Amino acid sequence: MTLDPEPADNPNPRLMTDPPAIVRRIASFAGNRVVDPQRRAKRRAKAEAARVKAGAPHRVEYFHQHDDPYSHLAQQVLDTFRDRYEIDLVIHQVRASGGKNQPELAKLAAWAARDADLIAPHYGLQRPSDMADRWDVAPPAAVLDAGSARLTAMGHYSGAMFHYGGEWYWGVDRLFHLEQRLRDLGACKQPARPDICPRPPIDVSGADARHLTLDFYPSLNSPYTSIIYDRTIAMAKACGITLHHKPVLPMVMRGVPATRQKGSYILFDTKREAEFLGVDFGPMVFPVGEPTRAMYSLIPWACEQGRDVELLSAALRLAWGEGVGLHRRKGICQAVERAGLDWSAAQRHLGSDAWKEETARRQLEMTEELGLWGVPSYRLRGGAGEADLCVWGQDRLWLIAGEIRRRAALPAQPSGIVG
């Protein structure tokens, strides 16, 4: 997803999907400011200084959406969070925002129900589907109006969000980032205790997964893809799983809108996740539009050379980690040569349409067959009697890794289903 270079109600979507050079430059400059760690450190220091001067507590605001499964995971840890940290926890009730920030609302609801049930046991939490009778009644309209207005005024659009000191943290998945920030400020009452919801490791150690298959759906214009791509490839090599590499177009190039508000949050969150993973993110030059089509036009040829993975890896690193513009031929040349391919040969395939039909088929497979629409996405197949495990997001690779270990250790006969 990209940072929208135009207002959210811009009537000309082509400026977002194929921005002119000046718009690409301005949007990339703005994106680099969002992920600048020095600017973040200054904002945090300013917020803390203001809090101390006012004699105020560490105020955390939480936005609960009554029909959101992720909110009902977060709800289960609120008491523990309040008890373990010296915070003033303020809870707001909100509605789903929909609109351009949540354009696939029905699909999102269906996916959230599946995903929240999948991750709940790994965090020691109850599955939302097992507790539906506790949260199927909406709060009064006035309460929802007030909470939703507060969420909008503060610049966000999603339920299950925590806000502290100018930054947003999504549900149990990002709570450990907030916990670390509070620990750094000395606000943890029990510093020897582990995080409430630590991120599980991406671990396939000891697994022989040669009988399993992993379908991997990355995209060049996806910040989240850029930070997990190489880790995905390394994980696949480590366990011997059969990897099917299936690049797709980014959502914004498939007609899914992306507002500036959402784009900024995604970039900020990607930077935080990248630091946790120990990988580079930024400086960047957005590769949306023609750069993506140009790089994808080389993928069929690179695949014939057995270097398609290396080509997309190089392109992702250049665009999102080194600030190299792939809208220029010298940037494409760098990606090609880093992938161990010949630039003079590559130019004969640059601009070809050979990639379009296969990419469209992959996109249809991902959205219609798997019920997913964002990237990166994964489908794990194989294991006696096992259903496919389909997940979306760089923050679900640990779930795939854990399931690979489980299936690799299974006896020959069926022993359960994950889906």
Side-chain angles (χ1 to χ4, degrees):
M1 190 165 298
T2 184
L3 190 66
D4 189 350
E6 292 292 305
D9 58 353
N10 172 32
N12 183 5
R14 185 170 177 81
L15 282 179
M16 181 167 63
T17 58
D18 265 309
I22 184 63
V23 174
R24 190 185 306 277
R25 187 179 305 119
I26 292 171
S28 300
F29 175 79
N32 286 318
R33 285 171 63 87
V34 168
V35 304
D36 184 347
Q38 293 184 342
R39 287 177 58 84
R40 181 185 60 196
K42 289 179 180 178
R43 288 195 303 270
R44 287 184 172 183
K46 183 178 180 180
E48 177 62 6
R51 184 195 68 81
V52 171
K53 183 177 181 179
H58 297 280
R59 179 184 171 93
V60 177
E61 295 184 64
Y62 167 68
F63 295 83
H64 186 82
Q65 182 184 321
H66 82 280
D67 55 355
D68 168 36
Y70 296 119
S71 290
H72 292 281
L73 293 180
Q75 184 181 39
Q76 296 178 56
V77 305
L78 293 181
D79 287 343
T80 303
F81 182 45
R82 185 189 287 111
D83 292 343
R84 194 169 296 181
Y85 293 89
E86 295 173 354
I87 58 173
D88 178 13
L89 182 61
V90 180
I91 299 174
H92 305 279
Q93 301 280 348
V94 301
R95 296 184 180 89
S97 64
K100 290 187 176 182
N101 283 319
Q102 295 177 327
E104 303 275 8
L105 201 54
K107 288 184 179 180
L108 179 61
W111 165 246
R114 288 168 50 195
D115 186 49
D117 273 8
L118 280 172
I119 67 173
H122 297 273
Y123 288 119
L125 303 175
Q126 190 173 0
R127 290 183 173 90
S129 63
D130 294 335
M131 50 188 294
D133 59 336
R134 304 183 195 177
W135 51 272
D136 58 0
V137 178
V143 173
L144 292 173
D145 289 344
S148 298
R150 174 67 175 166
L151 181 66
T152 300
M154 293 177 67
H156 217 278
Y157 49 88
S158 177
M161 297 301 303
F162 294 88
H163 182 270
Y164 174 73
E167 296 176 17
W168 293 96
Y169 304 82
W170 175 57
V172 297
D173 280 283
R174 301 299 191 272
L175 185 59
F176 74 99
H177 289 305
L178 176 52
E179 288 191 75
Q180 185 58 57
R181 186 175 174 191
L182 291 169
R183 286 176 185 270
D184 292 343
L185 292 171
C188 182
K189 299 175 185 176
Q190 303 164 320
R193 300 196 66 176
D195 289 337
I196 298 169
C197 294
R199 177 73 59 80
I202 302 169
D203 179 16
V204 293
S205 56
D208 181 355
R210 286 176 292 179
H211 62 299
L212 304 177
T213 299
L214 182 64
D215 296 331
F216 177 35
Y217 301 85
S219 175
L220 177 57
N221 196 57
S222 161
Y224 288 128
T225 294
S226 75
I227 65 171
I228 206 65
Y229 187 90
D230 289 345
R231 185 68 59 88
T232 299
I233 303 305
M235 183 201 73
K237 290 180 179 178
C239 66
I241 197 169
T242 298
L243 180 70
H244 290 167
H245 183 230
K246 300 183 174 184
V248 297
L249 286 175
M251 293 199 303
V252 71
M253 291 178 67
R254 289 183 269 132
V256 181
T259 66
R260 179 184 287 111
Q261 181 185 59
K262 188 171 185 177
S264 295
Y265 171 72
I266 287 173
L267 292 177
F268 186 85
D269 183 57
T270 302
K271 178 64 174 181
R272 192 167 51 192
E273 290 282 283
E275 290 172 340
F276 171 73
L277 291 168
V279 300
D280 293 331
F281 183 68
M284 66 191 73
V285 176
F286 296 136
V288 67
E290 185 55 34
T292 294
R293 289 190 289 271
M295 292 305 309
Y296 279 27
S297 73
L298 297 176
I299 287 179
W301 167 73
C303 189
E304 292 175 357
Q305 318 302 311
R307 308 295 292 178
D308 55 311
V309 167
E310 289 78 6
L311 179 61
L312 191 52
S313 172
L316 284 163
R317 289 197 306 273
L318 287 165
W320 294 104
E322 299 179 27
V324 174
L326 299 178
H327 59 294
R328 302 183 184 280
R329 287 178 73 88
K330 65 179 181 181
I332 299 174
C333 175
Q334 281 185 260
V336 167
E337 292 181 344
R338 282 197 187 184
L341 293 163
D342 180 67
W343 173 235
S344 61
Q347 293 178 75
R348 295 195 294 270
H349 302 273
L350 189 61
S352 165
D353 290 337
W355 62 278
K356 292 184 178 180
E357 183 176 349
E358 179 62 16
T359 301
R361 188 192 65 78
R362 292 168 180 160
Q363 289 166 189
L364 189 64
E365 177 181 276
M366 184 182 77
T367 57
E368 301 303 319
E369 184 178 337
L370 277 61
L372 305 173
W373 67 99
V375 289
S377 285
Y378 303 89
R379 173 167 61 176
L380 175 64
R381 296 184 283 160
E386 299 287 332
D388 294 351
L389 173 61
C390 304
V391 298
W392 164 25
Q394 60 84 24
D395 52 2
R396 292 294 178 266
L397 187 58
W398 62 264
L399 189 63
I400 290 288
E403 185 62 11
I404 287 173
R405 290 199 314 274
R406 189 187 74 81
R407 296 189 185 199
L410 284 178
Q413 66 272 19
S415 64
I417 295 177
V418 170

